[in-house]
Amino acid sequence: DVLGRALDRLYKTDRASLLTKLTLSAIKKFEINTDQMHNDSTTVKFSGAYESQHPKAVQLKRGHSKDHRPDLKQLVYSLSIARDGAIPMHFKAYDGNQTDDKTHWETWQSLRGLLGRSDFLYVADSKLCVAETMRKIDREQGSFVTILPRTRSEVAEFGEDAAASRVRWQSIHSQRVRKGKIDHFEAAEGLFQMREGYRIYWYRSSEKKARDKQDRDSRIAVARSQLLHLGNAKRRGPKSEPAMQKAVDKIISRYKVGNWLKANVITEEIERFKQTRKGKATHSSLFKRTIAKVVKVSVIDDLDGQARSAAMDGIFPLVTNKNLSAAEALKAYKFQPSLEKRHSLFKSVLNVAPVFLKKNERIEALMFIYFIAQTAASLLERELRRAMQRKGVETLPLLPEGRPTRTPTASQILDRFEHRSLHRLFHRSRPVKTFAEPLSVDQAAVLKLLEIPTSEFT
């Protein structure tokens, strides 16, 4: 009840001003670089009916579920982080059916007002690549990097050039992705532009190329197997030609192989002869001739379509309005997965769902508290890692079984201190003695790096 009343008061207060004050205090205290900002959204699912909701609070609705639960209502949680330490800078909770392409202009304006500047680099996914949104940001002297959607005509035009081997590639960057594997990045030579006039950089990744080929081969193999199985006369299922065609279209649509496989439904007439009488056939036996119609599926590889797709394996385009080189634009966008780590912190470590609240006003206030928790956890990570670099500490034994890690996370740090206990002995109302567990070696090392006095824990 106390928590509920506190959330009610938090909802009614000026949370926008509170968010600004908290963020600016963090920027000043921890000297956070805000030259590059990243934005992405996730969804929070709710299992209740929520039929009666406060009209001015965030509305829980069904929409595109990133939790893969389209049957549940949800809200959209939009988060912006600074590249420096992936520290959360701004958030907003939107109605559950809100799409990202409608939020980027509002988010950019909020960041500009928060930071008091417009010269930061705004990085987001393909939902930012909307002509009106990019034009507004560009008009206000803002800069952005985003990915070009596959539905744009510029992608088809470049695909034709790639299939015809009219594109020349230049190596620009290599990075280690896992043990024994190096991802090599190339950029297409020449000047490429959108119809709106913004610069396009085309990249080819060796690791993405291998993944694209493996994904295509796997989908073709599964789709072919299921299509051929439709022609099995002993199986249950559609037998007529229209019903069979519907089943074929469903398989092709499910695995998205329409450009790689051609499936034709054909009806064959099979001639059969059956003896009119029982017994062993002789030279004088009579036979009855029947014609049976059998519906079959013929599957043919579309070699031209597969070759066109293979020419685009590993290729992805980035769009920017800033005077960046191909390597600089790529480096800016490659930090975007760090934002996914913050969403993972939000859902897996902080456990935002399930939410046991009925009022959507309290739910909206609760999202504010989770933003503060994300910020605190992110700052904890950043400060510990920076301290390790300053003092030359390569690893800390924070993984299970005391295994070392070069990049300790907030979850690993907090887990190490989770089960500490403190006992106080009282005689009547007078404290007599305090008992505390001795600090372990790794706990003492973390506190020393964070410059936290050990007396706080002992």
mmCIF file of all heavy atoms in Angstrom, residues 19-61:
data_model
loop_
_atom_site.group_PDB
_atom_site.id
_atom_site.type_symbol
_atom_site.label_atom_id
_atom_site.label_comp_id
_atom_site.label_asym_id
_atom_site.label_seq_id
_atom_site.Cartn_x
_atom_site.Cartn_y
_atom_site.Cartn_z
ATOM 1 N N LEU A 19 13.622 14.071 -14.201
ATOM 2 C CA LEU A 19 14.492 13.321 -15.110
ATOM 3 C C LEU A 19 15.641 14.198 -15.598
ATOM 4 O O LEU A 19 16.803 13.767 -15.634
ATOM 5 C CB LEU A 19 13.672 12.812 -16.303
ATOM 6 C CG LEU A 19 14.453 12.135 -17.431
ATOM 7 C CD1 LEU A 19 15.126 10.873 -16.941
ATOM 8 C CD2 LEU A 19 13.545 11.829 -18.607
ATOM 9 N N THR A 20 15.333 15.437 -15.959
ATOM 10 C CA THR A 20 16.373 16.359 -16.425
ATOM 11 C C THR A 20 17.408 16.609 -15.344
ATOM 12 O O THR A 20 18.623 16.574 -15.602
ATOM 13 C CB THR A 20 15.732 17.690 -16.861
ATOM 14 O OG1 THR A 20 14.804 17.447 -17.920
ATOM 15 C CG2 THR A 20 16.791 18.669 -17.330
ATOM 16 N N LYS A 21 16.951 16.854 -14.133
ATOM 17 C CA LYS A 21 17.880 17.140 -13.035
ATOM 18 C C LYS A 21 18.761 15.935 -12.735
ATOM 19 O O LYS A 21 19.984 16.066 -12.525
ATOM 20 C CB LYS A 21 17.090 17.547 -11.790
ATOM 21 C CG LYS A 21 17.965 18.021 -10.643
ATOM 22 C CD LYS A 21 17.122 18.587 -9.510
ATOM 23 C CE LYS A 21 18.026 19.101 -8.390
ATOM 24 N NZ LYS A 21 17.243 19.703 -7.281
ATOM 25 N N LEU A 22 18.172 14.739 -12.721
ATOM 26 C CA LEU A 22 18.949 13.526 -12.452
ATOM 27 C C LEU A 22 20.016 13.303 -13.527
ATOM 28 O O LEU A 22 21.177 13.011 -13.226
ATOM 29 C CB LEU A 22 18.010 12.320 -12.389
ATOM 30 C CG LEU A 22 17.176 12.150 -11.128
ATOM 31 C CD1 LEU A 22 16.101 11.104 -11.345
ATOM 32 C CD2 LEU A 22 18.059 11.757 -9.953
ATOM 33 N N THR A 23 19.610 13.442 -14.783
ATOM 34 C CA THR A 23 20.541 13.178 -15.881
ATOM 35 C C THR A 23 21.666 14.198 -15.911
ATOM 36 O O THR A 23 22.843 13.837 -16.073
ATOM 37 C CB THR A 23 19.787 13.173 -17.222
ATOM 38 O OG1 THR A 23 18.730 12.200 -17.167
ATOM 39 C CG2 THR A 23 20.725 12.834 -18.360
ATOM 40 N N LEU A 24 21.329 15.475 -15.770
ATOM 41 C CA LEU A 24 22.363 16.506 -15.792
ATOM 42 C C LEU A 24 23.311 16.360 -14.606
ATOM 43 O O LEU A 24 24.523 16.611 -14.738
ATOM 44 C CB LEU A 24 21.720 17.894 -15.788
ATOM 45 C CG LEU A 24 20.941 18.274 -17.052
ATOM 46 C CD1 LEU A 24 20.339 19.664 -16.907
ATOM 47 C CD2 LEU A 24 21.833 18.210 -18.287
ATOM 48 N N SER A 25 22.793 15.940 -13.462
ATOM 49 C CA SER A 25 23.658 15.707 -12.303
ATOM 50 C C SER A 25 24.626 14.561 -12.583
ATOM 51 O O SER A 25 25.809 14.629 -12.230
ATOM 52 C CB SER A 25 22.816 15.392 -11.070
ATOM 53 O OG SER A 25 21.998 16.493 -10.730
ATOM 54 N N ALA A 26 24.126 13.496 -13.218
ATOM 55 C CA ALA A 26 24.995 12.357 -13.550
ATOM 56 C C ALA A 26 26.066 12.777 -14.555
ATOM 57 O O ALA A 26 27.235 12.389 -14.437
ATOM 58 C CB ALA A 26 24.158 11.209 -14.099
ATOM 59 N N ILE A 27 25.681 13.567 -15.563
ATOM 60 C CA ILE A 27 26.644 14.025 -16.573
ATOM 61 C C ILE A 27 27.749 14.850 -15.924
ATOM 62 O O ILE A 27 28.942 14.673 -16.227
ATOM 63 C CB ILE A 27 25.927 14.849 -17.657
ATOM 64 C CG1 ILE A 27 24.984 13.949 -18.479
ATOM 65 C CG2 ILE A 27 26.928 15.529 -18.587
ATOM 66 C CD1 ILE A 27 24.110 14.705 -19.454
ATOM 67 N N LYS A 28 27.363 15.737 -15.007
ATOM 68 C CA LYS A 28 28.346 16.605 -14.349
ATOM 69 C C LYS A 28 29.209 15.826 -13.368
ATOM 70 O O LYS A 28 30.441 15.963 -13.358
ATOM 71 C CB LYS A 28 27.616 17.740 -13.629
ATOM 72 C CG LYS A 28 28.552 18.730 -12.954
ATOM 73 C CD LYS A 28 27.755 19.852 -12.283
ATOM 74 C CE LYS A 28 28.694 20.841 -11.598
ATOM 75 N NZ LYS A 28 27.933 21.949 -10.942
ATOM 76 N N LYS A 29 28.601 14.976 -12.567
ATOM 77 C CA LYS A 29 29.327 14.245 -11.533
ATOM 78 C C LYS A 29 30.319 13.252 -12.133
ATOM 79 O O LYS A 29 31.465 13.144 -11.678
ATOM 80 C CB LYS A 29 28.327 13.519 -10.632
ATOM 81 C CG LYS A 29 28.950 12.569 -9.618
ATOM 82 C CD LYS A 29 29.696 13.304 -8.542
ATOM 83 C CE LYS A 29 30.229 12.319 -7.491
ATOM 84 N NZ LYS A 29 31.022 13.009 -6.450
ATOM 85 N N PHE A 30 29.875 12.524 -13.167
ATOM 86 C CA PHE A 30 30.711 11.459 -13.729
ATOM 87 C C PHE A 30 31.368 11.849 -15.051
ATOM 88 O O PHE A 30 31.978 11.009 -15.705
ATOM 89 C CB PHE A 30 29.867 10.187 -13.909
ATOM 90 C CG PHE A 30 29.351 9.626 -12.618
ATOM 91 C CD1 PHE A 30 28.077 9.931 -12.171
ATOM 92 C CD2 PHE A 30 30.145 8.804 -11.842
ATOM 93 C CE1 PHE A 30 27.601 9.414 -10.971
ATOM 94 C CE2 PHE A 30 29.682 8.289 -10.644
ATOM 95 C CZ PHE A 30 28.414 8.596 -10.211
ATOM 96 N N GLU A 31 31.221 13.121 -15.444
ATOM 97 C CA GLU A 31 31.876 13.639 -16.657
ATOM 98 C C GLU A 31 31.587 12.746 -17.871
ATOM 99 O O GLU A 31 32.477 12.251 -18.548
ATOM 100 C CB GLU A 31 33.384 13.762 -16.434
ATOM 101 C CG GLU A 31 33.752 14.714 -15.299
ATOM 102 C CD GLU A 31 35.248 14.790 -15.069
ATOM 103 O OE1 GLU A 31 35.989 13.963 -15.647
ATOM 104 O OE2 GLU A 31 35.690 15.678 -14.314
ATOM 105 N N ILE A 32 30.303 12.571 -18.151
ATOM 106 C CA ILE A 32 29.869 11.706 -19.252
ATOM 107 C C ILE A 32 29.917 12.480 -20.565
ATOM 108 O O ILE A 32 29.400 13.594 -20.670
ATOM 109 C CB ILE A 32 28.438 11.181 -18.995
ATOM 110 C CG1 ILE A 32 28.394 10.398 -17.681
ATOM 111 C CG2 ILE A 32 27.964 10.313 -20.149
ATOM 112 C CD1 ILE A 32 26.998 10.033 -17.236
ATOM 113 N N ASN A 33 30.547 11.888 -21.557
ATOM 114 C CA ASN A 33 30.611 12.479 -22.898
ATOM 115 C C ASN A 33 29.283 12.231 -23.613
ATOM 116 O O ASN A 33 28.840 11.087 -23.736
ATOM 117 C CB ASN A 33 31.768 11.856 -23.681
ATOM 118 C CG ASN A 33 32.021 12.558 -25.002
ATOM 119 O OD1 ASN A 33 31.084 12.988 -25.667
ATOM 120 N ND2 ASN A 33 33.269 12.671 -25.391
ATOM 121 N N THR A 34 28.660 13.297 -24.103
ATOM 122 C CA THR A 34 27.344 13.170 -24.748
ATOM 123 C C THR A 34 27.395 13.515 -26.237
ATOM 124 O O THR A 34 26.401 13.926 -26.809
ATOM 125 C CB THR A 34 26.326 14.094 -24.048
ATOM 126 O OG1 THR A 34 26.808 15.455 -24.103
ATOM 127 C CG2 THR A 34 26.126 13.688 -22.604
ATOM 128 N N ASP A 35 28.557 13.311 -26.868
ATOM 129 C CA ASP A 35 28.689 13.629 -28.293
ATOM 130 C C ASP A 35 27.926 12.647 -29.172
ATOM 131 O O ASP A 35 27.603 12.966 -30.318
ATOM 132 C CB ASP A 35 30.161 13.641 -28.707
ATOM 133 C CG ASP A 35 30.906 14.836 -28.132
ATOM 134 O OD1 ASP A 35 30.223 15.792 -27.711
ATOM 135 O OD2 ASP A 35 32.153 14.804 -28.095
ATOM 136 N N GLN A 36 27.660 11.444 -28.662
ATOM 137 C CA GLN A 36 26.969 10.427 -29.475
ATOM 138 C C GLN A 36 25.896 9.761 -28.634
ATOM 139 O O GLN A 36 26.161 9.235 -27.558
ATOM 140 C CB GLN A 36 27.974 9.383 -29.977
ATOM 141 C CG GLN A 36 27.375 8.355 -30.924
ATOM 142 C CD GLN A 36 28.442 7.482 -31.558
ATOM 143 O OE1 GLN A 36 29.494 7.980 -31.976
ATOM 144 N NE2 GLN A 36 28.198 6.193 -31.651
ATOM 145 N N MET A 37 24.656 9.760 -29.163
ATOM 146 C CA MET A 37 23.514 9.196 -28.455
ATOM 147 C C MET A 37 22.872 8.101 -29.301
ATOM 148 O O MET A 37 22.768 8.232 -30.532
ATOM 149 C CB MET A 37 22.474 10.283 -28.157
ATOM 150 C CG MET A 37 23.043 11.547 -27.489
ATOM 151 S SD MET A 37 23.721 11.234 -25.863
ATOM 152 C CE MET A 37 22.217 10.926 -24.959
ATOM 153 N N HIS A 38 22.434 7.045 -28.638
ATOM 154 C CA HIS A 38 21.800 5.914 -29.320
ATOM 155 C C HIS A 38 20.389 5.719 -28.772
ATOM 156 O O HIS A 38 20.164 5.859 -27.566
ATOM 157 C CB HIS A 38 22.608 4.634 -29.111
ATOM 158 C CG HIS A 38 23.947 4.644 -29.779
ATOM 159 N ND1 HIS A 38 24.221 3.917 -30.909
ATOM 160 C CD2 HIS A 38 25.088 5.321 -29.475
ATOM 161 C CE1 HIS A 38 25.476 4.132 -31.264
ATOM 162 N NE2 HIS A 38 26.026 4.976 -30.414
ATOM 163 N N ASN A 39 19.462 5.378 -29.663
ATOM 164 C CA ASN A 39 18.073 5.179 -29.251
ATOM 165 C C ASN A 39 17.526 3.873 -29.806
ATOM 166 O O ASN A 39 17.826 3.489 -30.936
ATOM 167 C CB ASN A 39 17.186 6.331 -29.729
ATOM 168 C CG ASN A 39 15.720 6.107 -29.386
ATOM 169 O OD1 ASN A 39 14.965 5.589 -30.198
ATOM 170 N ND2 ASN A 39 15.325 6.477 -28.183
ATOM 171 N N ASP A 40 16.750 3.206 -28.985
ATOM 172 C CA ASP A 40 16.021 2.007 -29.411
ATOM 173 C C ASP A 40 14.906 1.778 -28.409
ATOM 174 O O ASP A 40 14.921 2.329 -27.309
ATOM 175 C CB ASP A 40 16.949 0.795 -29.488
ATOM 176 C CG ASP A 40 16.293 -0.381 -30.201
ATOM 177 O OD1 ASP A 40 15.332 -0.143 -30.962
ATOM 178 O OD2 ASP A 40 16.729 -1.536 -30.005
ATOM 179 N N SER A 41 13.952 0.960 -28.776
ATOM 180 C CA SER A 41 12.815 0.704 -27.880
ATOM 181 C C SER A 41 12.644 -0.788 -27.676
ATOM 182 O O SER A 41 13.101 -1.616 -28.470
ATOM 183 C CB SER A 41 11.528 1.296 -28.469
ATOM 184 O OG SER A 41 11.161 0.614 -29.647
ATOM 185 N N THR A 42 11.979 -1.124 -26.592
ATOM 186 C CA THR A 42 11.576 -2.489 -26.322
ATOM 187 C C THR A 42 10.151 -2.454 -25.788
ATOM 188 O O THR A 42 9.565 -1.373 -25.645
ATOM 189 C CB THR A 42 12.532 -3.161 -25.324
ATOM 190 O OG1 THR A 42 12.217 -4.559 -25.212
ATOM 191 C CG2 THR A 42 12.433 -2.514 -23.950
ATOM 192 N N THR A 43 9.591 -3.602 -25.507
ATOM 193 C CA THR A 43 8.218 -3.656 -25.005
ATOM 194 C C THR A 43 8.192 -4.362 -23.651
ATOM 195 O O THR A 43 9.036 -5.213 -23.360
ATOM 196 C CB THR A 43 7.290 -4.401 -25.978
ATOM 197 O OG1 THR A 43 7.814 -5.719 -26.234
ATOM 198 C CG2 THR A 43 7.171 -3.641 -27.285
ATOM 199 N N VAL A 44 7.214 -3.987 -22.838
ATOM 200 C CA VAL A 44 6.974 -4.639 -21.548
ATOM 201 C C VAL A 44 5.582 -5.242 -21.604
ATOM 202 O O VAL A 44 4.602 -4.528 -21.837
ATOM 203 C CB VAL A 44 7.081 -3.646 -20.378
ATOM 204 C CG1 VAL A 44 6.859 -4.369 -19.046
ATOM 205 C CG2 VAL A 44 8.431 -2.945 -20.386
ATOM 206 N N LYS A 45 5.480 -6.536 -21.411
ATOM 207 C CA LYS A 45 4.191 -7.225 -21.546
ATOM 208 C C LYS A 45 3.448 -7.274 -20.218
ATOM 209 O O LYS A 45 4.053 -7.281 -19.143
ATOM 210 C CB LYS A 45 4.402 -8.647 -22.081
ATOM 211 C CG LYS A 45 5.228 -9.555 -21.198
ATOM 212 C CD LYS A 45 5.395 -10.924 -21.836
ATOM 213 C CE LYS A 45 6.162 -11.889 -20.925
ATOM 214 N NZ LYS A 45 7.566 -11.515 -20.755
ATOM 215 N N PHE A 46 2.107 -7.308 -20.321
ATOM 216 C CA PHE A 46 1.229 -7.355 -19.153
ATOM 217 C C PHE A 46 0.174 -8.429 -19.388
ATOM 218 O O PHE A 46 -0.398 -8.526 -20.468
ATOM 219 C CB PHE A 46 0.558 -6.001 -18.918
ATOM 220 C CG PHE A 46 1.526 -4.900 -18.590
ATOM 221 C CD1 PHE A 46 2.153 -4.194 -19.596
ATOM 222 C CD2 PHE A 46 1.824 -4.592 -17.275
ATOM 223 C CE1 PHE A 46 3.061 -3.189 -19.304
ATOM 224 C CE2 PHE A 46 2.722 -3.589 -16.970
ATOM 225 C CZ PHE A 46 3.345 -2.882 -17.984
ATOM 226 N N SER A 47 -0.083 -9.223 -18.353
ATOM 227 C CA SER A 47 -0.998 -10.354 -18.499
ATOM 228 C C SER A 47 -2.445 -10.028 -18.157
ATOM 229 O O SER A 47 -3.336 -10.823 -18.431
ATOM 230 C CB SER A 47 -0.523 -11.523 -17.611
ATOM 231 O OG SER A 47 0.775 -11.943 -17.989
ATOM 232 N N GLY A 48 -2.708 -8.886 -17.562
ATOM 233 C CA GLY A 48 -4.064 -8.563 -17.154
ATOM 234 C C GLY A 48 -4.924 -8.040 -18.285
ATOM 235 O O GLY A 48 -4.451 -7.753 -19.388
ATOM 236 N N ALA A 49 -6.218 -7.895 -18.011
ATOM 237 C CA ALA A 49 -7.153 -7.383 -19.023
ATOM 238 C C ALA A 49 -7.015 -5.877 -19.186
ATOM 239 O O ALA A 49 -7.060 -5.360 -20.301
ATOM 240 C CB ALA A 49 -8.593 -7.733 -18.626
ATOM 241 N N TYR A 50 -6.847 -5.141 -18.078
ATOM 242 C CA TYR A 50 -6.680 -3.685 -18.099
ATOM 243 C C TYR A 50 -7.748 -3.013 -18.967
ATOM 244 O O TYR A 50 -7.454 -2.255 -19.874
ATOM 245 C CB TYR A 50 -5.278 -3.306 -18.582
ATOM 246 C CG TYR A 50 -4.188 -3.724 -17.623
ATOM 247 C CD1 TYR A 50 -3.472 -4.896 -17.817
ATOM 248 C CD2 TYR A 50 -3.895 -2.950 -16.511
ATOM 249 C CE1 TYR A 50 -2.480 -5.283 -16.928
ATOM 250 C CE2 TYR A 50 -2.898 -3.325 -15.606
ATOM 251 C CZ TYR A 50 -2.202 -4.498 -15.827
ATOM 252 O OH TYR A 50 -1.217 -4.874 -14.934
ATOM 253 N N GLU A 51 -8.994 -3.338 -18.683
ATOM 254 C CA GLU A 51 -10.102 -2.797 -19.469
ATOM 255 C C GLU A 51 -10.385 -1.337 -19.130
ATOM 256 O O GLU A 51 -10.805 -0.570 -19.989
ATOM 257 C CB GLU A 51 -11.346 -3.654 -19.247
ATOM 258 C CG GLU A 51 -11.189 -5.090 -19.766
ATOM 259 C CD GLU A 51 -12.404 -5.929 -19.465
ATOM 260 O OE1 GLU A 51 -13.284 -5.436 -18.725
ATOM 261 O OE2 GLU A 51 -12.476 -7.079 -19.959
ATOM 262 N N SER A 52 -10.147 -0.941 -17.874
ATOM 263 C CA SER A 52 -10.397 0.431 -17.464
ATOM 264 C C SER A 52 -9.063 1.087 -17.127
ATOM 265 O O SER A 52 -8.411 0.729 -16.139
ATOM 266 C CB SER A 52 -11.330 0.470 -16.240
ATOM 267 O OG SER A 52 -11.521 1.792 -15.803
ATOM 268 N N GLN A 53 -8.640 2.049 -17.968
ATOM 269 C CA GLN A 53 -7.347 2.700 -17.788
ATOM 270 C C GLN A 53 -7.522 4.209 -17.717
ATOM 271 O O GLN A 53 -8.420 4.776 -18.347
ATOM 272 C CB GLN A 53 -6.400 2.344 -18.936
ATOM 273 C CG GLN A 53 -6.127 0.851 -19.091
ATOM 274 C CD GLN A 53 -5.106 0.568 -20.174
ATOM 275 O OE1 GLN A 53 -4.082 1.222 -20.267
ATOM 276 N NE2 GLN A 53 -5.381 -0.436 -20.994
ATOM 277 N N HIS A 54 -6.634 4.846 -16.967
ATOM 278 C CA HIS A 54 -6.650 6.306 -16.867
ATOM 279 C C HIS A 54 -6.315 6.886 -18.244
ATOM 280 O O HIS A 54 -5.288 6.544 -18.841
ATOM 281 C CB HIS A 54 -5.634 6.766 -15.825
ATOM 282 C CG HIS A 54 -5.783 8.204 -15.442
ATOM 283 N ND1 HIS A 54 -5.386 9.242 -16.272
ATOM 284 C CD2 HIS A 54 -6.288 8.786 -14.316
ATOM 285 C CE1 HIS A 54 -5.622 10.392 -15.681
ATOM 286 N NE2 HIS A 54 -6.179 10.147 -14.491
ATOM 287 N N PRO A 55 -7.153 7.773 -18.779
ATOM 288 C CA PRO A 55 -6.960 8.231 -20.165
ATOM 289 C C PRO A 55 -5.696 9.061 -20.378
ATOM 290 O O PRO A 55 -5.185 9.130 -21.501
ATOM 291 C CB PRO A 55 -8.213 9.065 -20.442
ATOM 292 C CG PRO A 55 -8.708 9.475 -19.091
ATOM 293 C CD PRO A 55 -8.357 8.350 -18.165
ATOM 294 N N LYS A 56 -5.159 9.686 -19.313
ATOM 295 C CA LYS A 56 -3.985 10.543 -19.482
ATOM 296 C C LYS A 56 -2.671 9.818 -19.212
ATOM 297 O O LYS A 56 -1.608 10.376 -19.464
ATOM 298 C CB LYS A 56 -4.101 11.757 -18.551
ATOM 299 C CG LYS A 56 -5.227 12.703 -18.927
ATOM 300 C CD LYS A 56 -5.216 13.950 -18.064
ATOM 301 C CE LYS A 56 -6.329 14.916 -18.471
ATOM 302 N NZ LYS A 56 -6.320 16.150 -17.638
ATOM 303 N N ALA A 57 -2.749 8.594 -18.732
ATOM 304 C CA ALA A 57 -1.539 7.809 -18.482
ATOM 305 C C ALA A 57 -1.255 6.923 -19.696
ATOM 306 O O ALA A 57 -2.057 6.830 -20.622
ATOM 307 C CB ALA A 57 -1.695 6.968 -17.220
ATOM 308 N N VAL A 58 -0.097 6.274 -19.683
ATOM 309 C CA VAL A 58 0.274 5.394 -20.788
ATOM 310 C C VAL A 58 -0.775 4.293 -20.939
ATOM 311 O O VAL A 58 -1.251 3.725 -19.957
ATOM 312 C CB VAL A 58 1.687 4.795 -20.547
ATOM 313 C CG1 VAL A 58 1.724 3.961 -19.278
ATOM 314 C CG2 VAL A 58 2.136 3.986 -21.743
ATOM 315 N N GLN A 59 -1.149 4.012 -22.189
ATOM 316 C CA GLN A 59 -2.212 3.043 -22.463
ATOM 317 C C GLN A 59 -1.612 1.680 -22.804
ATOM 318 O O GLN A 59 -0.790 1.563 -23.719
ATOM 319 C CB GLN A 59 -3.080 3.523 -23.629
ATOM 320 C CG GLN A 59 -3.788 4.847 -23.363
ATOM 321 C CD GLN A 59 -4.795 4.736 -22.239
ATOM 322 O OE1 GLN A 59 -5.754 3.966 -22.301
ATOM 323 N NE2 GLN A 59 -4.580 5.524 -21.185
ATOM 324 N N LEU A 60 -2.019 0.671 -22.053
ATOM 325 C CA LEU A 60 -1.573 -0.696 -22.330
ATOM 326 C C LEU A 60 -2.435 -1.262 -23.443
ATOM 327 O O LEU A 60 -3.650 -1.429 -23.282
ATOM 328 C CB LEU A 60 -1.677 -1.553 -21.068
ATOM 329 C CG LEU A 60 -1.014 -0.971 -19.805
ATOM 330 C CD1 LEU A 60 -1.163 -1.933 -18.646
ATOM 331 C CD2 LEU A 60 0.447 -0.657 -20.061
ATOM 332 N N LYS A 61 -1.812 -1.546 -24.578
ATOM 333 C CA LYS A 61 -2.540 -2.027 -25.747
ATOM 334 C C LYS A 61 -1.759 -3.134 -26.432
ATOM 335 O O LYS A 61 -0.574 -3.320 -26.189
ATOM 336 C CB LYS A 61 -2.785 -0.881 -26.740
ATOM 337 C CG LYS A 61 -3.644 0.251 -26.212
ATOM 338 C CD LYS A 61 -3.856 1.312 -27.275
ATOM 339 C CE LYS A 61 -4.749 2.438 -26.781
ATOM 340 N NZ LYS A 61 -4.968 3.473 -27.823
#
